[in-house]
Amino acid sequence: MKCNNIYKVCVMAVVALLGFTSCDDFLTIYPTDKTIAEDFWKTKSDVQEMVNGAYKSIASYDNQERAIIWGAFRSDELMKYTDFSSSSLDNINAVNLLPSNGYNNWASFYSTINRCNIVINHASDVMAVDPAFTEGDYQAARAQMLALRSLCYFYLLRTFRDVPYTTQSYEDDDQNMLVAQTTPDSLMQHIIADLEESQKGIMLTGGYGVDDWRNWGYFTLDAVNALLADIYLWRASMTKSQSDYQKCIEYADRVIQSKDEYYKANNVDLVGGSAEKDIYHLHRGIEAYYNLFVNGNSRESILEWQYNNDDNGFNHALENAYYRTGSWNSNSQSYDYKNTSMLMASSIFNYFADNVNTIQGQKVYETTSDYRYWNNVYGGHNEEATQLEVRKMVGQATIGSTTQSEGTKKSSDVIPSAYTSFGSNWIVYRLTDVMLMKAEALVQTAVSDSDKVTLEKAFDLVQTVNKRSISEDGLTKGDTLKITNFQSKSDMELLVLAERERELCFEGKRWYDLMRFCYRHMDGVDITKKMADNTSWPQLYSPMLKLIVRKYMSGGDAVSYKMKGEPFLYWPILESEMKVNRLLRQNPVYIDEKSTSKNR
């Protein structure tokens, strides 16, 4: 039986992986499956090359692009740039998620999954032929692939909900590759079990040596625990499970403690005073942007897709999404642009007036003393702007003072006319993300509005993240966030959501944050059933919809009207996949391949 679209890509990936070796010639002589089974798995270096290939695969253009489109563009924070022509993006922006839309294509993530499965299923054979490849080496490689595969499945789960799950490696186009979807409950149980298993062989923080990129580019124990915290938070939001919220807190604490212990062990002169009591060691003020998004692999970071070395090439997907080449024109007080990006920040980032409500209005920042106000976008001061250029991750300098004139702010970060290479990493997890996961879970474990102890713990985490980005001038007036303004669980929940937007905007988090927010306020969610098996679907939470439509200058009501129930949170399956895999069942609100339509 011939393979379907997903796994046709997977089989081709095997050839690509083997292309990392010096054995290109024999690929033209032997079938791919014979090559893998009989002639490739001979040495420890063979295994390492396959592991490296899997990590290169996760950082592919298609995966990086989908991390942005799936996780950020669908939310309130991004718009399509007016001058960029794309009917696919136009349809997504109008909530017309057509089954024919190319961004529905999940094949690149399944390609990475298949690479992981190949290593897991073949690497043990090398121990019998290469004494240098020990049981410990095998367990380490297997742990890496279990964790990386779990990350891929978590992306797919949050984007499509009901997806095929397989641990089989596809290496021959005669294999039966038709796999049915599984439920979210089943998939999360699988990936949690895999991550717990991976903990036995995974490296500790810093285990690869000082300044080795693999400390951030490969899964470490901190990265595994961060992913587990994220998964438990997701499942808890869907099911209202208090035990899952507690597990999120537990794994977040493991990350925080590990990062603290590693930092203090490697900074022996850190003795006495507030520095020694600090358990987070965040970059502060003007240094935060540069260390996180220009240098990359900072002490705060946990897992990054690597692009700044010869093996992994350049991050062209991030470049095409956010980066606009040009230079500052001091005479006209504007940029002269030479290249158009796909996406732009929406106008919500240019409002900070105290009388603008966070939910109903367009407020993101609490004060212009927040360095993120200036470093996340260009032109955030202009309340008339409807689209703003993204600075975060593509701007190469940081604002030195929040009191600089806007002209000085812009001219201090002149965009080069072009990059010969674009090596910005993509941050999957960093410490403040985990801190805010913990804060989100803490709010939900508070028994009531009167549970001040728990709510104050959540507030302290948010305040710590917030304060590190506030200029000293801003802090002299008192902390920007005051706990007296957040006296209920609902207030604190919105505070955490807002801080995650300030801290993590454009990093592929926002849509999934809004989905968790929505799920916590929906009744009737059943993760043990597939959407196609349900006779009715829980309705979406109205405040979540109000947040989504904030980016629209008009037409917000029409957009919110199109999103009636749970299936609208997810993408349809690509129509070509439906045609070749008879076991797949389409998201039930996308029954017409020409348009978005409801069957109920």
Side-chain angles (χ1 to χ4, degrees), residues 239-251:
T239 65
K240 319 295 192 298
S241 167
Q242 287 295 302
S243 62
D244 280 351
Y245 282 123
Q246 291 293 346
K247 292 293 284 187
C248 172
I249 294 167
E250 173 190 332
Y251 281 110

Side-chain angles (χ1 to χ4, degrees), residues 134-152:
T134 66
E135 175 69 25
D137 294 328
Y138 166 65
Q139 293 300 334
R142 180 172 179 268
Q144 289 292 327
M145 298 297 93
L146 288 171
L148 184 58
R149 184 176 72 185
S150 297
L151 176 65
C152 292

